[in-house]
Amino acid sequence: MAGQPSAHSVPHITTRPASPPLTERQEARRRRILRASAQLASRGGFDAVQMREVAESSQVALGTLYRYFPSKVHLLVATMQDQLEHMHGTLRKKPPAGESAAERVAETLMRAFRALQREPHLADAMVRALTFADRSVSPEVDQVSRQTTVIILDAMGLDDPTPAQLSAVRVIEHTWHSALITWLSGRASIAQVKIDIETVCRLIDLTGPAER
């Protein structure tokens, strides 16, 4: 399979003015915050993630937490990006085995879906945060979209997707997100989700060859 897509392969994202890179200590602090957020959400969902409790659990001052994440929505969207990044690492250790790009993407997304299924409270909290996100959270939401795009392109085996292929990827992302919402609300079974994901992934076959 081809490596991770280059920066030119992934759609442009809107970002805040460039910030200095985090120091090792700051990165470790950020990791503790994200871990605490995920643990609290796993136990009680969106409402269980209270900024004061996150600060206490991650052993940072409340003011410091707000400097990293201005709101609970910012924090939970960043938590989703972090969870997707971990999923991607796991997926790359055992790549999908499908013969076609569509089969590989469907398998990849269902494996990611099942990982979220094992933590329904966490999944619900992260999806609710994405739903509540306003423009101030756009950079974090864009990072979630970017990470999902990278996961899909990696499964397709693409380094340099065409505009048509990127369009198909966006539609697949929308369907995956919608399927997650309908499953969390009890309006769709896992079997229905699987059918929908496999159906939308056939768009890949309409956008040209995408083989390893």
Side-chain angles (χ1 to χ4, degrees):
M1 177 180 291
Q4 182 166 316
S6 66
H8 300 294
S9 304
V10 183
H12 173 73
I13 60 174
T14 302
T15 58
R16 300 186 182 105
S19 300
L22 296 179
T23 64
E24 185 175 340
R25 184 175 180 180
Q26 289 170 330
E27 182 60 33
R29 185 182 296 131
R30 185 177 185 276
R31 303 296 316 165
R32 292 201 309 273
I33 291 169
L34 291 173
R35 186 163 56 248
S37 169
Q39 288 172 344
L40 288 168
S42 293
R43 292 200 291 266
F46 185 86
D47 293 336
V49 181
Q50 301 297 323
M51 297 296 272
R52 187 171 297 279
E53 288 190 41
V54 172
E56 291 174 357
S57 181
S58 57
Q59 298 180 319
V60 302
L62 186 59
T64 300
L65 172 59
Y66 277 108
R67 284 198 296 274
Y68 280 82
F69 303 103
S71 73
K72 179 166 78 170
V73 170
H74 286 81
L75 173 58
L76 281 169
V77 174
T79 301
M80 184 164 196
Q81 192 278 332
D82 187 59
Q83 293 292 312
L84 287 171
E85 189 175 334
H86 283 297
M87 282 183 201
H88 190 204
T90 301
L91 289 164
R92 296 188 80 176
K93 290 177 183 176
K94 187 180 178 183
E99 288 297 320
S100 71
E103 290 172 345
R104 294 194 297 274
V105 172
E107 180 186 338
T108 293
L109 291 178
M110 284 309 300
R111 283 167 62 184
F113 195 95
R114 290 189 180 98
L116 291 171
Q117 183 189 12
R118 291 191 288 271
E119 295 281 2
H121 291 307
L122 173 59
D124 183 65
M126 296 186 300
V127 169
R128 285 178 65 182
L130 278 176
T131 303
F132 296 153
D134 58 22
R135 287 190 176 185
S136 72
V137 198
S138 291
E140 288 79 7
V141 172
D142 287 339
Q143 287 298 327
V144 168
S145 178
R146 183 184 180 90
Q147 185 64 55
T148 309
T149 298
V150 169
I151 289 172
I152 292 172
L153 292 178
D154 207 20
M156 290 171 70
L158 281 182
D159 284 325
D160 191 20
T162 65
Q165 287 167 330
L166 284 175
S167 181
V169 168
R170 285 193 295 272
V171 175
I172 291 167
E173 287 180 29
H174 296 329
T175 303
W176 187 76
H177 182 236
S178 177
L180 187 55
I181 291 173
T182 55
W183 173 74
L184 285 167
S185 65
R187 293 183 287 120
S189 65
I190 294 296
Q192 289 172 312
V193 168
K194 186 172 186 292
I195 291 170
D196 290 349
I197 294 297
E198 289 175 346
T199 299
V200 76
C201 284
R202 292 179 192 141
L203 282 175
I204 294 170
D205 296 333
L206 303 179
T207 59
E211 298 307 322
R212 298 174 190 270

